[in-house]
Amino acid sequence: MLKLRILTALVGAPIALFLAWQGGSLFTGTVAILAFVGWREYFKLLPLQNKPNLVQWIGSLGVILFVLNAQGSWMPLEVLLSGSLLILFSLIFFLRRPQAMPALLFSLAGLIYIGFGFSQFVLLRNWQIGIQ
């Protein structure tokens, strides 16, 4: 297991440095993919049974939009991000299953935690003081 981690670090570190150096859409897309993978892992770890799939996919969309919106303020992405948050909130009222409320609240917390956290990578990379 340790050998696999070392091999991953030896291969992943140069790729991460190259992407950070290049920046732009390639970096943002890679961060969005990593945020999506992080969201899937987070959702798998939730201590809930019968997790609603709709909540998982809306949360995935929200996490990706969080990261893409950090590339530049673009109105359609902001509208979609706001819409995904509103859909998560409205699902609280429409899903009457006992696990719906905890799943939605955990999903909202994960959306903010993962989406906001990964979007900071893009914002820091694009910060003008850091590029000089």
Side-chain angles (χ1 to χ4, degrees):
M1 190 61 145
L2 181 62
K3 289 179 184 179
L4 181 62
R5 289 183 182 180
I6 292 173
L7 180 64
T8 303
L10 289 175
V11 172
I15 293 172
L17 287 173
F18 171 76
L19 290 172
W21 185 263
Q22 292 299 313
S25 299
L26 184 64
F27 179 71
T28 304
T30 304
V31 171
I33 290 169
L34 291 174
F36 175 74
V37 171
W39 168 257
R40 296 281 307 233
E41 291 296 318
Y42 172 82
F43 204 78
K44 286 179 188 177
L45 292 174
L46 289 180
L48 305 171
Q49 297 172 345
N50 300 326
K51 299 173 204 165
N53 284 334
L54 182 61
V55 173
Q56 179 182 1
W57 289 108
I58 292 173
S60 299
L61 175 67
V63 165
I64 291 170
L65 290 175
F66 240 118
V67 174
L68 293 179
N69 195 37
Q71 176 69 24
S73 184
W74 193 48
M75 187 63 167
L77 284 179
E78 292 173 0
V79 169
L80 286 172
L81 178 59
S82 301
S84 67
L85 290 173
L86 286 173
I87 289 171
L88 277 176
F89 280 128
S90 64
L91 284 176
I92 291 173
F93 299 107
F94 295 119
L95 293 176
R96 301 278 183 206
R97 293 185 286 192
Q99 293 291 325
M101 180 68 91
L104 289 169
L105 292 177
F106 279 129
S107 297
L108 184 61
L111 174 68
I112 294 169
Y113 176 68
I114 294 171
F116 183 75
F118 274 91
S119 69
Q120 298 307 303
F121 289 125
V122 177
L123 289 173
L124 284 172
R125 169 58 184 92
N126 294 335
W127 194 20
Q128 291 303 317
I129 295 173
I131 295 175
Q132 294 178 358

Coordinates of all heavy atoms in Angstrom, one line a residue, residues 4 7 10 12-13 15 19 28 32 37 47 51 57 71 84 87 95 101 111 116-117 120 126 128:
L4 N 2.3 2.0 -3.5 CA 1.3 2.6 -4.4 C 1.1 4.1 -4.1 O 1.0 4.9 -5.0 CB -0.1 1.9 -4.2 CG -1.2 2.4 -5.1 CD1 -0.8 2.2 -6.6 CD2 -2.5 1.7 -4.7
L7 N 4.3 5.8 -5.5 CA 4.2 5.8 -6.9 C 3.2 6.9 -7.4 O 3.4 7.7 -8.3 CB 3.8 4.5 -7.5 CG 3.6 4.4 -9.0 CD1 5.0 4.6 -9.7 CD2 3.1 3.0 -9.4
L10 N 4.8 10.2 -6.9 CA 5.8 10.5 -7.9 C 5.2 10.9 -9.3 O 5.8 11.6 -10.0 CB 6.7 9.3 -8.1 CG 7.7 9.0 -6.9 CD1 8.4 7.7 -7.1 CD2 8.7 10.2 -6.7
G12 N 1.8 11.9 -9.7 CA 0.9 13.0 -9.5 C 1.4 14.3 -9.2 O 0.9 15.3 -9.7
A13 N 2.5 14.4 -8.5 CA 3.1 15.7 -8.2 C 3.6 16.5 -9.4 O 3.2 17.7 -9.5 CB 4.3 15.5 -7.2
I15 N 2.4 16.2 -12.4 CA 1.2 16.6 -13.2 C 0.5 17.7 -12.5 O 0.1 18.7 -13.2 CB 0.3 15.4 -13.3 CG1 0.9 14.3 -14.2 CG2 -1.1 15.8 -13.8 CD1 0.2 13.0 -14.2
L19 N -0.1 21.5 -14.2 CA -1.4 22.0 -14.3 C -1.5 23.4 -13.6 O -2.2 24.3 -14.0 CB -2.5 21.1 -13.8 CG -2.7 19.8 -14.6 CD1 -3.6 18.8 -13.9 CD2 -3.3 20.2 -15.9
T28 N -8.8 24.5 -14.1 CA -10.1 24.6 -13.6 C -10.9 23.3 -13.8 O -11.6 22.8 -12.9 CB -10.9 25.7 -14.2 OG1 -10.1 26.9 -13.9 CG2 -12.2 25.9 -13.5
A32 N -12.3 20.7 -11.0 CA -13.7 20.4 -11.0 C -13.9 18.8 -11.0 O -14.7 18.3 -10.3 CB -14.4 20.9 -12.2
V37 N -15.0 13.9 -7.7 CA -14.6 12.7 -7.1 C -14.7 12.8 -5.6 O -15.1 11.9 -4.9 CB -13.2 12.3 -7.6 CG1 -12.6 11.1 -6.7 CG2 -13.2 11.9 -9.0
P47 N -23.5 8.6 6.9 CA -24.0 7.5 7.7 C -25.5 7.3 7.6 O -26.2 7.3 8.5 CB -23.6 7.9 9.2 CG -23.7 9.4 9.1 CD -23.2 9.8 7.7
K51 N -29.9 6.5 0.7 CA -29.6 7.9 0.3 C -30.3 8.2 -1.0 O -30.2 7.4 -2.0 CB -28.1 8.0 0.1 CG -27.3 7.7 1.4 CD -25.9 7.7 1.1 CE -25.1 6.9 2.1 NZ -23.8 6.6 1.8
W57 N -26.9 13.6 -7.2 CA -26.6 14.2 -8.5 C -26.8 15.7 -8.5 O -26.0 16.4 -9.1 CB -27.4 13.6 -9.6 CG -26.9 12.2 -9.8 CD1 -27.5 11.0 -9.5 CD2 -25.7 11.8 -10.3 NE1 -26.7 9.9 -9.8 CE2 -25.6 10.4 -10.3 CE3 -24.6 12.5 -10.9 CZ2 -24.5 9.7 -10.8 CZ3 -23.5 11.8 -11.3 CH2 -23.4 10.4 -11.3
Q71 N -13.7 30.3 -11.8 CA -12.8 30.7 -12.9 C -13.1 32.1 -13.3 O -12.3 32.9 -13.7 CB -13.1 29.7 -14.1 CG -12.4 30.1 -15.4 CD -10.9 29.9 -15.3 OE1 -10.4 29.1 -14.4 NE2 -10.1 30.6 -16.1
S84 N -29.4 24.9 -8.1 CA -29.1 23.6 -7.4 C -29.3 23.7 -5.9 O -29.8 22.8 -5.3 CB -27.8 23.1 -7.8 OG -26.8 23.9 -7.3
I87 N -33.0 23.8 -5.3 CA -33.6 22.5 -5.4 C -33.3 21.6 -4.2 O -34.2 20.9 -3.7 CB -33.1 21.8 -6.7 CG1 -33.7 22.5 -7.9 CG2 -33.4 20.3 -6.8 CD1 -33.1 22.1 -9.3
L95 N -39.6 15.4 -0.2 CA -39.2 14.0 0.1 C -39.7 13.7 1.6 O -39.2 14.3 2.5 CB -37.7 13.8 0.0 CG -37.1 13.8 -1.4 CD1 -35.6 13.7 -1.3 CD2 -37.7 12.8 -2.3
M101 N -34.4 14.3 5.3 CA -33.8 15.6 6.0 C -32.4 15.4 6.3 O -31.6 16.3 5.9 CB -34.7 15.9 7.2 CG -34.2 17.2 7.9 SD -34.5 18.6 6.9 CE -36.1 19.1 7.5
L111 N -21.7 20.1 0.1 CA -21.7 21.0 -1.1 C -20.9 22.3 -0.8 O -20.0 22.7 -1.5 CB -23.1 21.4 -1.5 CG -23.2 22.4 -2.6 CD1 -22.8 21.8 -3.9 CD2 -24.7 22.8 -2.8
F116 N -16.9 24.9 -2.0 CA -16.2 26.1 -1.6 C -14.7 25.8 -1.5 O -13.9 26.6 -1.9 CB -16.8 26.6 -0.3 CG -16.1 27.9 0.1 CD1 -16.5 29.1 -0.6 CD2 -15.2 28.0 1.1 CE1 -15.9 30.3 -0.2 CE2 -14.7 29.2 1.5 CZ -15.0 30.3 0.9
G117 N -14.3 24.7 -0.9 CA -12.9 24.4 -0.7 C -12.1 24.3 -2.0 O -11.1 24.8 -2.2
Q120 N -11.5 27.4 -4.0 CA -10.4 28.3 -3.5 C -9.1 28.0 -4.3 O -8.3 28.9 -4.4 CB -10.2 28.1 -2.0 CG -11.4 28.6 -1.2 CD -11.9 30.0 -1.6 OE1 -11.1 30.9 -1.5 NE2 -13.1 30.1 -2.0
N126 N -5.7 32.0 -9.8 CA -6.0 33.2 -10.7 C -5.8 34.5 -10.0 O -6.0 35.5 -10.6 CB -7.4 33.1 -11.2 CG -7.6 31.9 -12.1 OD1 -6.7 31.4 -12.7 ND2 -8.8 31.4 -12.2
Q128 N -4.2 37.8 -9.0 CA -3.2 38.5 -9.7 C -1.9 38.7 -8.9 O -0.8 38.7 -9.5 CB -3.7 39.9 -10.1 CG -4.8 39.8 -11.1 CD -4.4 39.1 -12.4 OE1 -3.3 39.3 -12.9 NE2 -5.2 38.2 -12.9

